[in-house]
């Protein structure tokens, strides 16, 4: 039997509909906003600012996060400073906060530090919390979103709304390359059933989101899972429909060795999810989980492992599934550093597309939220 789903229906928008909705929503009298955003080298850092009316820009409490990694490239630092200055000019009350992603012993601490930073933020008088993950790594953005879901779900009285925004542009994604660390670990707050005795006999299903240039990272995660359970089953996630029609075929070619040999993926195990619709992937993951729980209930249960390493928009679907089923695990390899093909990033001809998801608050107060399925 299918279980009730938290975000079914769900309020979300994308593309021009997201821009229009946010402009109208933010222009409403009485809005008081806490904005969490990245002040990084990614050109999408400043995408959301023009959507705020000038009067709200003046009053918005903005927390601009600068992710600190060892030995950053000078050009990327200069770009980050430029974007920070642009955001500070738009939001006079903004404060910049540096978050160390790695400790001195190279332990990954970025997610924990981000959650700690959010713990100190007062929500008194705030009507809306916006988390713009366009220029944040998922190792930082996911713990922040989970923090607010946990806090807002337990508050009494008037509760602030929680919105998540991601600026989708595959061409910019392709212009950014990451240098992965050696450590495979759950994202802070998303350990789920990983390592628990009750899950020690569970059948593992790994659902990696395939992306260009992610072979080394995903191979590392698979090897770790293989060491835990030799017959780990793999169901890779491919973006389809995609803004680049040949992208799924190109990813199958890029990962051919893994799919055919290392991971032994049957063609029927490939998962296709709409690149621009987080809800498509969210529903698919939960549908698979519902089926597996029935099948494996009497033989140790099921353990789903997610690795959303592709586009931010699609990774939101994995995030929503993991927020709903608290035994899901998100395994991740944090980046030590990034490189940017500046000429490619600066010459992108395709406009950005916003994806907006209303995760918590007034829209669900009576249990009758609505879903916008604009394309």
């Amino acid at each position: 039997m299918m279980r009730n789903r938290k975000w079914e229906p769900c309020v979300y928008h994308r593309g021009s509909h997201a821009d229009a909705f946010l402009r109208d929503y933010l222009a409403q009298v009485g809005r008081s906003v806490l904005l969490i955003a990245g002040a990084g080298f990614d050109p999408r850092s400043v995408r959301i600012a023009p959507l705020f009316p000038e009067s709200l820009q003046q009053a918005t409490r903005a927390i601009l996060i600068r992710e600190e990694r060892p030995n950053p490239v000078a050009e990327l630092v200069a770009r980050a400073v430029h974007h920070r200055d642009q955001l500070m000019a738009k939001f006079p009350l903004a404060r910049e906060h540096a978050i160390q992603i790695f400790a001195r012993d190279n332990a990954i601490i970025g997610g924990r530090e981000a959650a700690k930073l959010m713990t100190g933020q007062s929500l008194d008088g705030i009507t809306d919390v916006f988390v713009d993950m366009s220029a944040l790594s998922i190792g930082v953005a996911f713990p922040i979103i989970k923090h607010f879901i946990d806090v807002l779900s337990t508050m009494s009285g008037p509760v602030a709304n929680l919105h998540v925004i991601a600026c989708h542009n595959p061409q910019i994604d392709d212009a950014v390359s990451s240098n992965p660390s050696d450590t495979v670990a759950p994202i802070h707050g998303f350990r789920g059933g990983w390592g628990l005795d009750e899950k020690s006999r569970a059948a593992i299903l790994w659902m990696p989101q395939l992306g260009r240039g992610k072979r080394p990272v995903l191979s590392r995660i698979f090897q770790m899972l293989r060491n835990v359970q030799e017959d780990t089953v793999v169901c890779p996630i491919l973006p389809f429909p995609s803004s680049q029609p040949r992208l799924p075929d190109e990813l199958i070619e890029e990962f051919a060795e893994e799919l055919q040999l290392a991971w032994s993926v049957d063609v029927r195990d490939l998962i296709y999810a709409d690149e621009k619709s987080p809800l498509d992937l969210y529903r698919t993951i939960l549908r698979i989980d519902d089926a597996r729980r029935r099948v494996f209930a009497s033989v140790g249960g099921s353990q789903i492992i997610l690795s959303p390493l592709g586009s931010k928009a699609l990774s939101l679907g994995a995030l929503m599934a993991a927020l709903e089923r608290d035994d899901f695990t998100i395994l991740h390899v944090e980046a030590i550093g990034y490189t940017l093909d500046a000429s490619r990033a600066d010459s992108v001809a395709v406009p950005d597309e916003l994806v907006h998801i209303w995760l918590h608050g007034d829209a669900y107060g009576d249990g009758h939220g609505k879903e916008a399925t604009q394309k």
Side-chain angles (χ1 to χ4, degrees):
M1 180 181 296
M2 188 179 73
R3 300 163 64 183
N4 292 330
R5 296 171 183 168
K6 185 172 183 177
W7 288 289
E8 191 75 82
C10 177
V11 180
Y12 87 102
H13 308 82
R14 66 192 193 205
S16 60
H17 298 278
D19 284 67
F21 172 82
L22 291 171
R23 286 183 191 280
D24 290 344
Y25 185 84
L26 292 169
Q28 293 175 6
V29 175
R31 292 290 163 208
S32 177
V33 174
L34 172 63
L35 170 65
I36 318 294
F41 66 85
D42 194 308
R44 292 167 289 192
S45 298
V46 297
R47 173 67 167 79
I48 190 176
L51 299 179
F52 284 64
E54 187 173 347
S55 58
L56 189 57
Q57 289 177 353
Q58 301 296 314
T60 292
R61 276 175 50 205
I63 298 174
L64 307 180
I65 294 176
R66 189 179 72 246
E67 299 184 14
E68 295 281 357
R69 291 179 170 80
N71 307 313
V73 178
E75 181 187 352
L76 300 188
V77 174
R79 282 175 173 265
V81 170
H82 178 62
H83 294 148
R84 179 204 61 192
D85 291 345
Q86 286 183 286
L87 290 169
M88 297 285 270
K90 289 286 187 183
F91 300 105
L93 300 182
R95 294 290 181 269
E96 183 184 26
H97 295 269
I99 288 181
Q100 298 296 329
I101 303 302
F102 295 93
R104 291 183 178 179
D105 61 355
N106 291 326
I108 300 169
I109 59 172
R112 189 174 70 227
E113 292 298 306
K116 188 188 302 181
L117 174 63
M118 295 304 119
T119 301
Q121 304 303 317
S122 170
L123 295 179
D124 290 347
I126 296 295
T127 61
D128 296 271
V129 178
F130 280 83
V131 180
D132 179 8
M133 58 181 287
S134 304
L136 294 173
S137 65
I138 65 170
V140 168
F142 283 15
I144 290 175
I145 295 167
K146 186 175 190 304
H147 166 82
F148 284 113
I149 284 284
D150 292 344
V151 169
L152 295 173
S153 298
T154 56
M155 286 179 66
S156 58
V159 175
N161 300 294
L162 175 62
H163 309 259
V164 177
I165 293 172
C167 189
H168 176 68
N169 193 317
Q171 292 189 15
I172 295 179
D173 289 338
D174 291 344
V176 179
S177 302
S178 62
N179 180 20
S181 67
D182 295 329
T183 305
V184 178
I187 289 179
H188 178 73
F190 293 90
R191 175 172 288 276
W194 186 253
L196 297 181
D197 288 343
E198 64 190 73
K199 288 287 187 180
S200 60
R201 295 175 52 240
I204 294 177
L205 172 64
W206 181 43
M207 302 176 72
Q209 181 184 337
L210 303 191
R212 287 192 178 113
K214 302 298 183 184
R215 282 185 66 195
V217 172
L218 293 177
S219 295
R220 199 169 296 171
I221 296 175
F222 175 74
Q223 190 56 53
M224 177 184 178
L225 292 171
R226 186 76 178 271
N227 292 339
V228 173
Q229 190 170 97
E230 190 171 354
D231 56 352
T232 293
V233 175
V234 184
C235 288
I237 299 167
L238 289 161
F240 183 81
S242 169
S243 54
Q244 303 171 69
R246 277 194 45 78
L247 181 57
D249 293 336
E250 291 172 1
L251 289 173
I252 288 175
E253 292 176 10
E254 182 176 341
F255 284 85
E257 184 176 334
E258 285 78 11
L259 296 174
Q260 296 172 12
L261 300 177
W263 302 350
S264 302
V265 175
D266 188 289
V267 67
R268 293 168 295 183
D269 291 334
L270 293 173
I271 296 171
Y272 293 92
D274 187 339
E275 179 184 63
K276 300 177 185 177
S277 175
L279 290 183
D280 188 26
L281 181 58
Y282 161 74
R283 291 165 178 152
T284 299
I285 293 172
L286 294 190
R287 188 166 59 247
I288 291 172
D289 182 53
D290 288 338
R292 284 177 57 86
R293 285 178 191 269
R294 290 195 300 271
V295 172
F296 294 102
S298 60
V299 290
S302 168
Q303 171 69 65
I304 286 186
I305 309 290
L306 302 170
S307 295
L309 300 181
S311 76
K312 294 278 179 64
L314 198 53
S315 71
L316 275 172
L319 167 68
M320 294 169 70
L323 286 171
E324 179 154 338
R325 303 281 164 90
D326 57 10
D327 59 348
F328 284 8
T329 300
I330 299 183
L331 280 184
H332 184 53
V333 175
E334 190 55 76
I336 294 177
Y338 293 98
T339 57
L340 176 71
D341 185 338
S343 60
R344 193 173 177 183
D346 293 340
S347 61
V348 169
V350 179
D352 302 330
E353 282 194 59
L354 281 185
V355 174
H356 161 253
I357 299 180
W358 192 335
L359 279 183
H360 187 87
D362 296 340
Y364 308 100
D366 59 3
H368 296 287
K370 60 181 179 180
E371 178 182 349
T373 57
Q374 297 94 333
K375 297 180 179 179

